[in-house]
Structures are given as structure tokens and as C-alpha cells.
Amino acid sequence: MTVLLFSSFTRTHFNKCYEGKSSKDILKRVAANALMSLLAVSRRAQKHALKANLIDNCMEQMKHINAQLNLDSLRPGKAEDGVIKELSIAMQLLRNCLYQNEECKEAALEAHLVPVLHSLWPWILMDDSLMQISLQLLCVYTANFPNGCSSLCWSSCGQHPVQATHRGAVSNSLMLCILKLASQMPLENTTVQQMVFMLLSNLALSHDCKGVIQKSNFLQNFLSLALPKGGNKHLSNLTILWLKLLLNISSGEDGQQMILRLDGCLDLLTEMSKYKHKSSPLLPLLIFHNVCFSPANKPKILANEKVITVLAACLESENQNAQRIGAAALWALIYNYQKAKTALKSPSVKRRVDEAYSLAKKTFPNSEANPLNAYYLKCLENLVQLLNSS
């Protein structure tokens, strides 16, 4: 019943209540809020909105607002707040319409969402609220949508307001704008900081976006992160955001190469693995785990004794997830790589492997009932066999 009402509402009354009305119109605000709520909870509502050309209409409205803001920038005084409010509503409608809906995302791609946002970027930079909403929209748009991620790397040209010059030149792709924002983010603006890294974590799964990240030298900023001092044993929230980004980058072999090219990155990750964070305690270990699987990476990993020590120590950890990560990483490192066999046969590593395997067999006699325990035993069993072979 709700969706039927929505369908009728979208196709007949929404235009009357919303389009062409002043931003101060109460009925317009009520209509927009009602539509946002419906789009957030109903997939059928999104479908009807798509058929009613809501995405195209929002895009046209955003283009009109951009032209209006550019025109206002040539006149004395500040841009009208009502125009900014209309832009905010349009982006929120788009955000909810695109949420987990690939068909709507394709429509937004065809309607040139990213070039429009790029043209609006100088104005978005001036308003924290607009920035949060635009980053939310981009997070929704890029989630599990490779074509959308790639679209951020495209060059898009457009006119920018005269007043934007004091903020510096606008980058020739929205991807570079995002990287610049993440690099210059004030630490006190934690909400925007978190959202921009969430967006980058989405983009890091895209081959095209990883290429832009590599060419921009953005990852060098990771090396400048400060470790906790004194009695503080917890990593900062910014460090955790960086580690989550690096974890997504490390999911592909091209990203792993980017990480290993950073001088001192492995040593820094090793140091970070000693500290705690209640929500994400194993991120450095997971990054090590991923890079161990590529044959091209194995010599560099093996040459770093600190990494090997950390992975071997995982087998004695009280955290079962850390045990599994360490065992899987060591097995991946030694698999089909004779030099790793020789290096890992050191007494300290071999002793830990043997003891962990002996304890696991006693602790998990019926490992088949739990796939994670079964996999852990399989990792240890293969490690023992490989280390005992000639």
C-alpha cells in the first residue's frame, strides 16, 4: 500500500509539491523529507523513483544550482542560503535513491553524477554540511559499483566561481580532489575525515583508482603518522582509518606492490601491530596476510625479520583470530617458495609452529564442525609438513 501511494505520489504530486517551489516552502520540505524516508527503506520506491526520472531531475537541479552559484559569485554578497539548502536536499534524495541499487547507480552514471559533483566541488569545500552529504552520496554510489569508482578518475572540465581561487586550483578529476581533501584534512574535523577515508576505502578496490592513488604519492602520508607515546597503548582513529584503507588496497596484487614500494612501510606496520584498538585490533596482521600470497612479494617479506617475528608470534597469541591469520600468512609465504622453507626452519619459528599444531589438535578434536578451526588446523598441518621436508 505504501509503495502504491508512493508511485502515485512520485508521478503526480511530487512535481507539484517540490519542483519550482521556493526552498522556504513548507510543503516542499515535507515532500522531500517524505520521499527521502521512503527511498531509504523501499527498493520498490527506488524503482518507481527511477521511472519517474527523479535521478535526472535531481541532476538537472544540481546543474542549475551550480550555474546560479557561479552567477552569484560574480556579484557582491554571499550566495543565498536557500540555494545551498536545495543542493543539500537534491544530494540526499540521490543518496537514498542509489542506496544498494545498481540500476539507479547506472542511471546516475549516465546522468554524469561525478562531473556535476566535480563542478560543484569548490562550493562543497566551503560548507562542512554539504561536504558530509556529498561524501555520503559518493560512498553509496561507489559501494560495489566498479564503473562508478572508475568514473571518479575521469577528467572533467567546467567553470568554477571566481571566489574559488583562494582555495587553490581545482584538480582535473574528482578522485584527485578526494585525495587532496584526505591529505589536508584538519584533525578536529573528524566526521568529514572518517567519511573521506570510507570513500577512499571503496575506491581502493578499483584498479583505476589505485592507479591514481599510486601516481599521486598519496600513500606517503601514511609514513608520517605518529605512533602512541608514553603509556598510551592505543592507535589513533586516524591511524585506524589509514589501516582500513591499506587493507582494501592490499586485496589486489597491484595494491600490494604499492604498499611494498613505500620505504619503511613494513617496519611501521610491524610497530603498529604492537598497539591496540578495540574495534580493529588485527588490521596490520591482515595486511601482512594479504601481501604474503603474491610470489612477487615473498622475497621482500622474507627479508624483513620483524614481519616474520610478528607472524610467528601470532601462533602464541591468546586471540584465535590472530592465530589463524599468522598461520595462514606463514603457509602462504612458504608455499612453493624454497627460500622461505630455509628461513622459517629457524628454531624459534619451527618451535612455535610445532607447539601450535600440537595444541590445536588437542583443542579442536572435531574441527570439521567449525570451518575456521578446520582451516587453522590445515594451515598448521601444511606448515609442519613443509618445514620437515627437505
Side-chain angles (χ1 to χ4, degrees), residues 63-84:
K63 292 176 185 177
H64 174 75
I65 290 170
N66 184 46
Q68 183 66 48
L69 288 170
N70 288 338
L71 184 61
D72 290 344
S73 71
L74 300 174
R75 302 169 179 167
K78 191 177 179 181
E80 184 185 351
D81 289 339
V83 179
I84 299 297

Side-chain angles (χ1 to χ4, degrees), residues 96-154:
N96 290 8
C97 190
L98 302 186
Y99 181 66
Q100 294 186 347
N101 191 313
E102 187 167 351
E103 188 178 4
C104 289
K105 292 180 183 183
E106 288 287 356
L109 178 64
E110 292 178 9
H112 307 296
L113 170 62
V114 168
V116 171
L117 282 176
H118 191 196
S119 67
L120 285 161
W121 197 250
W123 301 107
I124 293 171
L125 284 170
M126 297 173 70
D127 189 296
D128 282 349
S129 177
L130 271 185
M131 178 60 73
Q132 290 182 36
I133 294 168
S134 65
L135 291 173
Q136 289 172 1
L137 171 57
L138 285 169
C139 284
V140 168
Y141 174 65
T142 56
N144 301 313
F145 187 49
N147 289 339
C149 293
S150 296
S151 70
L152 270 77
C153 302
W154 302 342

Side-chain angles (χ1 to χ4, degrees), residues 289 314-315 319-330 364 370-376 379:
H289 168 273
C314 287
L315 301 179
N319 187 314
Q320 289 189 353
N321 288 325
Q323 294 172 7
R324 294 169 185 140
I325 293 169
L330 289 171
F364 311 120
N370 186 319
L372 290 176
N373 293 339
Y375 180 64
Y376 178 52
C379 291

Side-chain angles (χ1 to χ4, degrees), residues 16 85 102 107 131 134 166-167 186 206 219 264 285 311 346 363:
K16 295 179 182 179
K85 181 64 176 176
E102 187 167 351
M131 178 60 73
S134 65
H166 74 275
R167 295 186 300 277
S206 160
L219 294 184
L285 300 180
L311 293 177
S346 65
T363 308

Side-chain angles (χ1 to χ4, degrees), residues 304-314 348-349 352:
N304 193 306
E305 292 184 8
K306 293 180 180 179
V307 177
I308 302 300
T309 300
V310 167
L311 293 177
C314 287
S348 62
V349 175
R352 284 170 167 164

Side-chain angles (χ1 to χ4, degrees), residues 12-264:
T12 57
H13 300 298
F14 182 70
N15 288 345
K16 295 179 182 179
C17 299
Y18 184 78
E19 293 184 359
K21 299 285 185 179
S22 166
S23 60
K24 299 178 181 178
D25 188 278
I26 295 176
L27 187 57
K28 177 174 183 173
R29 292 203 299 269
V30 171
N33 289 333
L35 187 53
M36 282 182 210
S37 299
L38 283 168
L39 291 171
V41 299
S42 171
R43 196 166 188 84
R44 290 182 65 186
Q46 293 174 332
K47 181 179 180 180
H48 286 301
L50 181 60
K51 288 182 179 179
N53 297 318
L54 177 66
I55 293 174
D56 289 334
N57 291 342
C58 284
M59 296 303 304
E60 287 303 316
Q61 185 183 16
M62 290 165 66
K63 292 176 185 177
H64 174 75
I65 290 170
N66 184 46
Q68 183 66 48
L69 288 170
N70 288 338
L71 184 61
D72 290 344
S73 71
L74 300 174
R75 302 169 179 167
K78 191 177 179 181
E80 184 185 351
D81 289 339
V83 179
I84 299 297
K85 181 64 176 176
E86 286 186 19
L87 177 58
S88 173
I89 292 172
M91 290 196 294
Q92 290 179 76
L93 286 170
L94 279 174
R95 176 198 65 200
N96 290 8
C97 190
L98 302 186
Y99 181 66
Q100 294 186 347
N101 191 313
E102 187 167 351
E103 188 178 4
C104 289
K105 292 180 183 183
E106 288 287 356
L109 178 64
E110 292 178 9
H112 307 296
L113 170 62
V114 168
V116 171
L117 282 176
H118 191 196
S119 67
L120 285 161
W121 197 250
W123 301 107
I124 293 171
L125 284 170
M126 297 173 70
D127 189 296
D128 282 349
S129 177
L130 271 185
M131 178 60 73
Q132 290 182 36
I133 294 168
S134 65
L135 291 173
Q136 289 172 1
L137 171 57
L138 285 169
C139 284
V140 168
Y141 174 65
T142 56
N144 301 313
F145 187 49
N147 289 339
C149 293
S150 296
S151 70
L152 270 77
C153 302
W154 302 342
S155 175
S156 56
C157 300
Q159 294 183 341
H160 301 287
V162 173
Q163 292 179 356
T165 54
H166 74 275
R167 295 186 300 277
V170 177
S171 303
N172 63 0
S173 76
L174 190 54
M175 180 70 192
L176 288 173
C177 291
I178 299 298
L179 291 172
K180 184 176 181 180
L181 179 65
S183 300
Q184 300 176 347
M185 185 61 57
L187 291 178
E188 63 270 12
N189 200 335
T190 55
T191 302
V192 174
Q193 185 178 70
Q194 182 176 5
M195 297 212 61
V196 75
F197 271 90
M198 286 173 61
L199 174 58
L200 284 174
S201 293
N202 282 356
L203 299 173
L205 299 173
S206 160
H207 176 75
D208 291 338
C209 293
K210 277 187 280 194
V212 176
I213 291 173
Q214 181 178 3
K215 291 177 182 178
S216 70
N217 290 324
F218 171 72
L219 294 184
Q220 289 291 334
N221 293 296
F222 173 71
L223 301 177
S224 64
L225 292 175
L227 292 171
K229 295 181 180 180
N232 183 13
K233 300 297 183 182
H234 296 273
L235 296 172
S236 68
N237 290 330
L238 177 60
T239 300
I240 295 302
L241 292 173
W242 265 103
L243 289 174
K244 289 179 177 178
L245 172 59
L246 289 181
L247 179 60
N248 279 14
I249 289 175
S250 72
S251 63
E253 191 167 349
D254 53 347
Q256 295 165 13
Q257 291 293 317
M258 290 164 56
I259 292 173
L260 291 178
R261 288 192 190 103
L262 289 173
D263 289 338

